[in-house]
């Protein structure tokens, strides 16, 4: 069964450093998403991406964040200058198409720890 | 924006009993309501969803009901098994937006 994959599973970084989280969405999916989950809290939407551009973003997704689809398979989230409060699980998700179907399939997540 | 409230935060049942988790939403434009199961160390897994044009949907031991007038929807798990133990999240969106708004989660523990 196709699945979303993410690398690395755990990333430790120093405050102020740049990190890139990588995702490979399900191959025939057209919509891509990033969500985050701070330990013990609810999953929060960050950004959605379609047709090589951001289609929606939340207030969390400020100028420190960017997304990119550098090739036909990868989807990345970059945090330019990490803060302590960026420590969280980051989940990538993808969904198939437009229309009423919006089934989003999530990857296993990357745990980001900012020291 | 949308706000989703979920309760209870924890639920403990005996194996074989039923479990019910309830969510309410605030945005009347929301029309898609998925439920996710999250096991320790894993990403959320879609287990069932419902769209606003139906009131109930079943898939084996799992069912979801939707009351659009009251803006609430519920997950029902019958004949619970120890492997049902996990955190369950409800979510809501309207298909024009796509961004899911999640509830705060329910930790379900099924006692053998």
């Amino acid at each position: 069964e196709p699945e979303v994959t993410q690398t690395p599973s755990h990333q430790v970084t120093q405050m102020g450093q740049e990190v890139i989280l990588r995702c490979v969405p399900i191959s025939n999916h057209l919509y891509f998403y990033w969500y985050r989950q701070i330990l013990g809290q609810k999953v929060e939407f960050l950004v959605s991406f379609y047709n090589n551009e951001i289609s929606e973003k939340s207030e969390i997704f400020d100028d420190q964040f960017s997304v990119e689809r550098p090739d036909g398979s990868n989807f990345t989230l970059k945090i330019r200058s990490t803060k302590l409060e960026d420590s969280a699980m980051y989940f990538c998700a993808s969904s198939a198409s437009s229309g009423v179907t919006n089934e989003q399939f999530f990857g296993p997540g990357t745990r980001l720890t900012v020291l | 924006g949308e706000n989703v409230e979920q309760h209870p935060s924890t639920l403990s049942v005996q194996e074989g009993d039923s479990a019910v988790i309830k969510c309410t939403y605030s945005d009347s434009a929301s029309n898609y309501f998925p439920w996710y199961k999250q096991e320790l160390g894993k990403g959320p897994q879609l287990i069932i969803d419902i769209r606003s044009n139906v009131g109930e949907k079943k898939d084996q031991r799992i069912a979801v009901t939707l009351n659009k007038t009251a803006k609430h929807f519920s997950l029902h798990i019958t004949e619970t098994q120890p492997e049902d133990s996990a955190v369950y999240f409800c979510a809501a969106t309207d298909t024009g937006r796509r961004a899911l708004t999640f509830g705060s989660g329910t930790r379900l523990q099924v006692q053998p």
Side-chain angles (χ1 to χ4, degrees):
Chain A
E1 185 174 329
E3 59 183 17
V4 177
T5 60
Q6 291 185 242
T7 55
S9 57
H10 192 188
Q11 175 88 48
V12 181
T13 190
Q14 294 291 325
M15 190 169 56
Q17 295 295 304
E18 174 183 288
V19 294
I20 297 176
L21 310 183
R22 291 182 167 81
C23 168
V24 178
I26 295 172
S27 63
N28 62 345
H29 284 188
L30 301 177
Y31 287 83
F32 314 115
Y33 314 84
W34 285 100
Y35 291 82
R36 80 172 184 190
Q37 184 179 33
I38 295 171
L39 187 63
Q41 297 186 23
K42 62 173 70 176
V43 178
E44 301 173 289
F45 169 76
L46 294 178
V47 65
S48 60
F49 190 86
Y50 171 72
N51 199 25
N52 282 321
E53 61 182 23
I54 291 173
S55 52
E56 187 178 1
K57 60 183 181 179
S58 71
E59 293 176 351
I60 303 168
F61 194 87
D62 61 22
D63 291 345
Q64 292 299 312
F65 292 89
S66 62
V67 289
E68 190 179 27
R69 187 154 163 83
D71 54 43
S73 59
N74 290 282
F75 179 51
T76 62
L77 174 69
K78 181 192 290 186
I79 309 175
R80 288 190 183 80
S81 178
T82 50
K83 308 183 188 89
L84 295 176
E85 53 265 36
D86 293 327
S87 294
M89 283 290 288
Y90 288 81
F91 294 107
C92 174
S94 67
S95 64
S97 65
S98 60
V100 297
T101 298
N102 191 20
E103 296 171 339
Q104 296 183 26
F105 297 90
F106 283 70
T110 293
R111 180 173 298 282
L112 176 65
T113 302
V114 183
L115 303 176
Chain B
E2 176 67 280
N3 183 47
V4 177
E5 300 289 337
Q6 181 173 349
H7 59 95
S9 57
T10 60
L11 180 59
S12 182
V13 299
Q14 292 293 318
E15 183 177 358
D17 288 350
S18 295
V20 180
I21 303 170
K22 298 182 179 181
C23 289
T24 60
Y25 62 99
S26 61
D27 189 350
S28 56
S30 288
N31 56 8
Y32 175 67
F33 308 93
W35 285 88
Y36 286 85
K37 175 184 181 182
Q38 187 177 28
E39 296 175 286
L40 195 62
K42 296 184 179 180
Q45 177 191 8
L46 179 67
I47 56 171
I48 195 167
D49 57 17
I50 191 167
R51 294 174 180 82
S52 59
N53 58 343
V54 297
E56 184 176 1
K57 183 177 178 180
K58 286 184 180 179
D59 183 2
Q60 300 183 334
R61 296 186 296 109
I62 295 173
V64 56
T65 58
L66 171 65
N67 183 327
K68 281 199 68 180
T69 304
K71 292 189 203 162
H72 66 70
F73 56 113
S74 301
L75 178 71
H76 305 253
I77 306 174
T78 58
E79 301 172 23
T80 53
Q81 301 166 3
E83 51 265 38
D84 294 329
S85 297
V87 179
Y88 291 81
F89 290 96
C90 62
T93 190
D94 73 82
T95 48
R97 287 189 58 240
R98 295 187 162 268
L100 292 174
T101 300
F102 281 83
S104 53
T106 297
R107 182 173 301 277
L108 173 65
Q109 185 153 11
V110 180
Q111 307 284 354

